[in-house]
Amino acid sequence: MADPPDPDIQVGLKAVEAGLLTEAQLADVRRELAKQAKPPSLADALIARGLLTRLQVEGFRSGDLSKRIGKYRLIRELGRGGMGVVYEAEDVELKRKCALKTMIEAEGTDARERAVEEERFVREARLSANLPRHPGIVGVYDAGVVDGRRVIAMELVDGLQFQEWRKKAAFRQQVQALKDVADAVAHAHAHNVVHRDLKPSNILVDAQRAPRVTDFGLAKRSRETTVFSLTATGMIVGTPAYMSPEQAEARDEVGPATDQWALGVMLYEILSGRLPFQGASAVEVLMKTVKEPVVPPTKFLRAKGAVDERLERLCMRALKKDPAERFPSVKAFADGLGGWLKSGTIRRAPKRPAWVPAAAGGGILLAVLLLFLLFRSPGAAAVDVSGLVADGWARIERKQYNEALSAFKRVLAEDPENAAAKAGKREAERLQKASAPESELVVAVRKLIETGDVKAALAKLDAVPEPPREELRKSLHARMDAMFAKLRDQALAAQTKKDTGLVRALALEVEAWKRPDLSAALKAALAAVPAPDPLPKTSSLTKLFDFQHSETGVTTVAISPDGRRALSGCFAHILKVWSLEKGRLEREFRHPTRVITSDFSRDGRWFAVGLGSGDVVVYDAKTLEPRVFKGHTQQTFGAAFSPDSARLFTCSTDTWMRVWTVADGVSRATLGQHGQGAMSLARSSDGRNVAVGAHPGEITIWDTTAGKELARYVPPSGLQISGLAYSPDGARLASGAEDGELLIWDLKNGARRAFARVPAPLHNIAWSPDGRWIAVASRDDALRVLDASSGQVKAAIPGGDGWYSCAFSADSRLLAGGAYNWHLRIYDIAALGR
């Protein structure tokens, strides 16, 4: 009987299938372990090398992780390449199928190459997202880091790669499909995006014979030089058989004409059934592309007339070695194919005189010279003027724009009405201006547009002079259009979940764009979603204080043990200390980054805040003098003092929990790691145990004295744990996640029960010290107080466009809430117990 498969080997194989490892990486680790006398398990070795996390290993063992990446449920693998794996997947939140592309990071790649590969991967999404929608280009829904992996969610196209589809398609259908591809590429060029890696495998043809262009991983902005796109000069990118001569030589002038060459190669295959250049190696193909002439397709076919000579002329022009001799644009190439499909005729371009050089403007030169010959003034010195005009255009070709201007000005001095010289002068001036280095302001605005920082780009745009301002404005509007679809979908999803705070925030973001058309479109889309149910009726609570914090949401609140003070922190980096005795602001502190979490020590001697930088600041409550505890490298999301006030527990998105001694600010213990980030923290009433909630959804219980992990719980949703609170007796733990579900865990046996659900992402939980109430702050317009035994909503406090934080006083009489609309509100909840 065969031995059962090693479970660790199965974990490794599943990680390879999921794209987290390469086969070479797995083989290297196994070879290394085979050399050791007492090797650790394969899983532990993969974790030690940083190739997998413990959470991922356990997920593969249970079978959960191999079927899901964040909100995407994996259905099947569609393909695999050197950079990534593509799956058919389902976005479980939007109930939409998509193609999910994940990046594989190959071991042994140096940092520069890895950075280049990562940039190629993410720019595919960035450039595709920036393109206005076109039926011939595969759209991108989303992109980013999910569960530690770079992913791109794209439209799912059910079809064949162009090369496979061609085997069953009629000749005319193939030409029509290539014409549609050329139209899509021309659309990209019109928006300053050059693909640079067009080939049959990057074209999918669906059941309706509609081709779709995908994989913009090597694309670049048409304004970029090679140095500032993906590669440095001298580094070749692309697929050899479809690379243009300028690509093969790694020249700087790789632009739209390069995509035209690739389309010409595909037309060559349609006409002759073979590639223009073939070889035993990629290097041989590249050498032939650069040095050997393109043999017309008719030379490979025996039957006379087997190739339509009009299509052959079209193909051969697209395959000219000199980019300037190809069609002036891919749109012109597409129009040529369209003309053949429509009437069987293609308009032939007149031959230019042998003495006329090819200009960067393509067909412009011929038209200008014809104008010159037809409309030159009778008194002009024909020989001298014609020579100067030819010299001017030759210098334009060599990018000698100053010299070209000088030549044209000399012509105009002799013949002020010379049409050819006027046109040449305008072209030289245009190219001279285009080639001038952009100002720092223009470069800064362009970068802001490309990164999607719309507000910052708008703020700087008015200071940009013309002519670049209008061009930048168009680019910014195109970026807004691309971003709007995703933002609208987020707003509709939030409206469905009754998440009024997020809906308002997104609407305000669109309003800040100063685009009434988009604001109106969002308003109309939201109006079509059914209105949320009204909030439940609330008991009458006494509002004691309503403090305005600052012009951003209140991220954290706390009440001192004696009930005399309250803390509030916000996104605007401000911490405020309030006197509840006098009902006014006592002190304000400004920090370099946002204030995320806060807590008072039990003895009232200290209060602490966690910052977006990762720093923890501990204040002396009497003198208000601060001390900075450094250790976390990313945002500190949780902070709690021990009951004896001697220790402070913190957690951070750097995945670690730290235990500090308050007296000297030393981090005595570092416990973790916690998934992809520790997002919430709660301590038991005796201070012995601390619970940490992570992203993705996981809760770890620690014995902080022994530094030992006691238990680990995984809620069924798998979503980020955004709130935790211990019951006063330490026997139960409440946890809340981004889906709004509140769970209660029995810490003796690990059993869980669904306790309550709010119709919006849950931000914070507080359990009253007397054990009677659980407060829930969520993104919808209600701060809820639940009966801790039944889960019944006893109070739903409206106002504030959503609530971010909540806290009880030590005597359970006061409830503080931090709102999205900048307010700290404090209520007397004694009436709830009557």
Side-chain angles (χ1 to χ4, degrees):
M1 183 175 179
D3 293 331
D6 184 337
D8 276 353
I9 297 298
Q10 295 301 308
V11 166
L13 294 176
K14 287 180 180 179
V16 171
E17 292 175 1
L20 290 176
L21 295 176
T22 64
E23 292 180 354
Q25 287 173 324
L26 180 61
D28 286 347
V29 175
R30 293 183 65 183
R31 279 194 296 270
E32 183 180 305
L33 294 179
K35 298 175 184 178
Q36 300 179 23
K38 293 182 179 180
S41 69
L42 175 62
D44 287 341
L46 292 171
I47 292 170
R49 277 193 170 203
L51 297 173
L52 295 178
T53 66
R54 189 165 297 282
L55 178 62
Q56 288 169 337
V57 168
E58 293 179 1
F60 284 126
R61 284 173 174 163
S62 66
D64 291 334
L65 194 61
S66 60
K67 300 175 183 176
R68 185 162 171 162
I69 301 176
K71 67 176 182 176
Y72 298 102
R73 182 177 64 84
L74 307 183
I75 299 173
R76 63 189 174 103
E77 183 175 318
L78 298 176
R80 180 180 293 261
M83 278 180 59
V85 183
V86 181
Y87 300 94
E88 179 181 350
E90 180 188 22
D91 184 332
V92 297
E93 292 183 4
L94 299 179
K95 306 299 181 187
R96 174 175 65 190
K97 283 191 174 182
C98 64
L100 190 72
K101 187 173 183 179
T102 66
M103 183 177 179
I104 299 176
E105 182 176 310
E107 189 178 27
T109 306
D110 75 281
R112 182 181 180 279
E113 291 177 351
R114 187 161 56 248
V116 168
E117 289 184 356
E118 183 168 308
E119 173 62 12
R120 288 177 186 170
F121 187 86
V122 298
R123 79 187 287 115
E124 175 183 351
R126 189 184 307 138
L127 292 177
S128 297
N130 282 338
L131 281 174
R133 296 280 297 152
H134 188 280
I137 297 176
V138 174
V140 171
Y141 295 139
D142 197 9
V145 178
V146 179
D147 291 350
R149 303 161 69 179
R150 287 206 172 274
V151 302
I152 301 174
M154 303 173 287
E155 289 181 83
L156 181 65
V157 179
D158 185 12
L160 298 173
Q161 291 183 351
F162 186 68
Q163 203 76 331
E164 290 298 315
W165 174 81
R166 274 205 320 111
K167 296 176 181 178
K168 300 178 181 180
F171 179 80
R172 192 175 185 84
Q173 291 173 344
Q174 295 178 48
V175 175
Q176 178 65 60
L178 190 64
K179 191 265 184 190
D180 293 340
V181 170
D183 282 333
V185 173
H187 172 80
H189 289 179
H191 293 87
N192 304 316
V193 175
V194 183
H195 194 289
R196 298 203 304 167
D197 195 25
L198 281 175
K199 55 188 176 183
S201 60
N202 284 340
I203 299 168
L204 301 174
V205 185
D206 63 23
Q208 286 72 45
R209 299 199 296 268
R212 311 283 291 280
V213 181
T214 186
D215 201 348
F216 280 73
L218 295 186
K220 72 167 187 175
R221 292 286 181 193
S222 59
R223 298 186 195 88
E224 294 174 328
T225 66
T226 310
V227 173
F228 292 106
S229 58
L230 290 182
T231 59
T233 302
M235 186 174 181
I236 297 171
V237 294
T239 304
Y242 298 88
M243 285 172 61
S244 63
E246 59 267 29
Q247 271 184 300
E249 291 186 301
R251 288 186 242 150
D252 283 343
E253 63 264 37
V254 174
T258 291
D259 288 348
Q260 185 185 147
W261 173 281
L263 292 166
V265 173
M266 285 184 262
L267 179 57
Y268 194 103
E269 287 182 282
I270 292 173
L271 297 176
S272 68
R274 56 163 287 158
L275 292 163
F277 302 107
Q278 298 178 357
S281 67
V283 173
E284 184 180 348
V285 172
L286 292 175
M287 293 296 290
K288 288 182 177 180
T289 301
V290 172
K291 296 183 177 182
E292 294 187 7
V294 179
V295 178
T298 49
K299 300 296 183 182
F300 297 105
L301 300 175
R302 294 180 180 178
K304 187 176 181 180
V307 173
D308 186 302
E309 66 174 5
R310 295 162 299 173
L311 281 179
E312 185 177 69
R313 286 197 299 271
L314 194 67
C315 176
M316 294 300 289
R317 182 172 179 184
L319 294 179
K320 290 289 186 182
K321 299 281 187 180
D322 185 347
E325 294 185 355
R326 298 171 203 156
F327 287 90
S329 67
V330 166
K331 181 67 169 61
F333 174 80
D335 290 344
L337 291 175
W340 182 86
L341 288 164
K342 185 175 181 180
S343 63
T345 61
I346 299 175
R347 186 178 299 170
R348 298 181 62 181
K351 294 182 179 180
R352 69 174 181 222
W355 54 269
V356 178
I364 291 176
L365 175 59
L366 179 61
V368 170
L369 291 178
L370 287 174
L371 284 170
F372 160 68
L373 293 171
L374 291 172
F375 298 107
R376 66 185 181 191
S377 57
V383 175
D384 293 338
V385 168
S386 63
L388 285 172
V389 168
D391 180 62
W393 283 102
R395 291 186 181 279
I396 283 180
E397 183 184 17
R398 295 195 293 271
K399 301 181 181 180
Q400 297 171 343
Y401 305 129
N402 287 333
E403 292 82 352
L405 272 174
S406 177
F408 291 128
K409 286 178 180 179
R410 287 177 61 192
V411 172
L412 292 172
E414 293 287 333
D415 182 5
E417 300 303 319
N418 189 288
K422 286 182 178 180
K425 180 174 178 289
R426 286 195 300 269
E427 181 68 3
E429 288 172 340
R430 184 188 70 81
L431 291 171
Q432 186 182 54
K433 186 176 293 185
S435 64
E438 292 183 328
S439 69
E440 291 183 6
L441 177 61
V442 172
V443 171
V445 173
R446 198 180 301 286
K447 186 174 182 61
L448 290 170
I449 293 172
E450 291 181 355
T451 57
D453 194 343
V454 172
K455 292 180 183 177
L458 277 171
K460 292 178 177 291
L461 188 60
D462 287 340
V464 176
E466 292 293 358
R469 185 197 305 162
E470 187 57 32
E471 181 266 329
L472 287 174
R473 191 184 306 280
K474 290 179 181 179
S475 296
L476 180 57
H477 280 206
R479 184 74 170 116
M480 290 176 183
D481 292 340
M483 293 172 63
F484 178 74
K486 181 180 178 181
L487 189 146
R488 181 198 57 215
D489 289 347
Q490 288 178 324
L492 292 176
Q495 181 92 321
T496 302
K497 295 178 181 179
K498 306 174 185 177
D499 187 349
T500 57
L502 179 57
V503 171
R504 179 173 173 79
L506 294 171
L508 288 173
E509 182 175 346
V510 174
E511 287 179 17
W513 294 358
K514 301 177 183 178
R515 287 279 303 275
D517 58 326
L518 296 183
S519 294
L522 179 61
K523 185 176 181 180
L526 291 170
V529 178
D533 296 332
L535 292 170
K537 292 184 179 180
T538 178
S539 303
S540 58
L541 299 178
T542 303
K543 185 195 297 183
L544 299 178
F545 302 102
D546 190 347
F547 299 127
Q548 182 170 326
H549 188 95
S550 60
E551 296 185 0
T552 57
V554 178
T555 54
T556 182
V557 296
I559 301 175
S560 64
D562 59 11
R564 295 180 179 179
R565 277 176 167 172
L567 300 176
S568 61
C570 72
F571 286 100
H573 310 177
I574 299 172
L575 170 70
K576 292 191 176 185
V577 182
W578 304 90
S579 170
L580 300 185
E581 291 181 306
K582 299 179 181 179
R584 61 177 175 81
L585 179 67
E586 181 179 337
R587 189 75 175 270
E588 177 180 301
F589 300 91
R590 291 186 177 271
H591 292 284
T593 55
R594 67 177 174 136
V595 181
I596 301 175
T597 185
S598 62
D599 191 37
F600 274 100
S601 64
R602 184 75 64 87
D603 62 7
R605 183 179 176 186
W606 315 102
F607 60 85
V609 295
L611 305 181
S613 63
D615 289 347
V616 179
V617 184
V618 176
Y619 290 87
D620 184 303
K622 185 176 181 179
T623 65
L624 298 181
E625 289 297 318
R627 289 181 295 142
V628 180
F629 295 4
K630 289 188 175 291
H632 288 304
T633 58
Q634 296 180 26
Q635 302 175 82
T636 297
F637 259 82
F641 284 96
S642 62
D644 62 5
S645 305
R647 295 182 296 164
L648 177 66
F649 312 112
T650 61
C651 71
S652 165
T653 52
D654 65 9
T655 75
W656 299 102
M657 181 183 85
R658 290 181 177 268
V659 182
W660 312 80
T661 53
V662 178
D664 57 13
V666 174
S667 176
R668 300 296 180 184
T670 305
L671 307 177
Q673 296 174 310
H674 300 88
Q676 295 169 25
M679 311 302 294
S680 53
L681 176 147
R683 62 152 176 82
S684 61
S685 56
D686 61 8
R688 183 177 180 84
N689 298 336
V690 170
V692 177
H695 172 76
E698 182 181 57
I699 302 166
T700 307
I701 310 294
W702 293 93
D703 181 329
T704 60
T705 303
K708 177 183 177 182
E709 181 181 318
L710 299 177
R712 188 173 294 193
Y713 306 131
V714 179
S717 71
L719 297 176
Q720 172 180 307
I721 307 299
S722 48
L724 289 172
Y726 271 96
S727 63
D729 60 7
R732 292 166 294 165
L733 180 72
S735 72
E738 290 189 322
D739 61 352
E741 184 171 35
L742 186 66
L743 302 175
I744 301 293
W745 302 83
D746 187 322
L747 299 180
K748 292 181 180 179
N749 56 26
R752 71 167 187 266
R753 66 186 176 102
F755 186 69
R757 181 182 287 275
V758 295
L762 186 151
H763 280 316
N764 195 218
I765 304 171
W767 204 316
S768 65
D770 63 7
R772 299 181 66 184
W773 317 114
I774 296 176
V776 179
S778 64
R779 201 178 276 170
D780 74 330
D781 195 23
L783 174 62
R784 292 171 174 80
V785 182
L786 311 179
D787 186 303
S789 58
S790 66
Q792 179 184 359
V793 178
K794 301 296 290 185
I797 305 169
D801 297 325
W803 297 82
Y804 206 94
S805 51
C806 57
F808 288 100
S809 61
D811 61 4
S812 301
R813 183 182 179 86
L814 303 181
L815 173 64
Y820 268 67
N821 72 345
W822 326 334
H823 285 256
L824 164 66
R825 296 191 173 102
I826 298 180
Y827 297 87
D828 185 334
I829 64 170
L832 288 179
R834 297 172 187 164

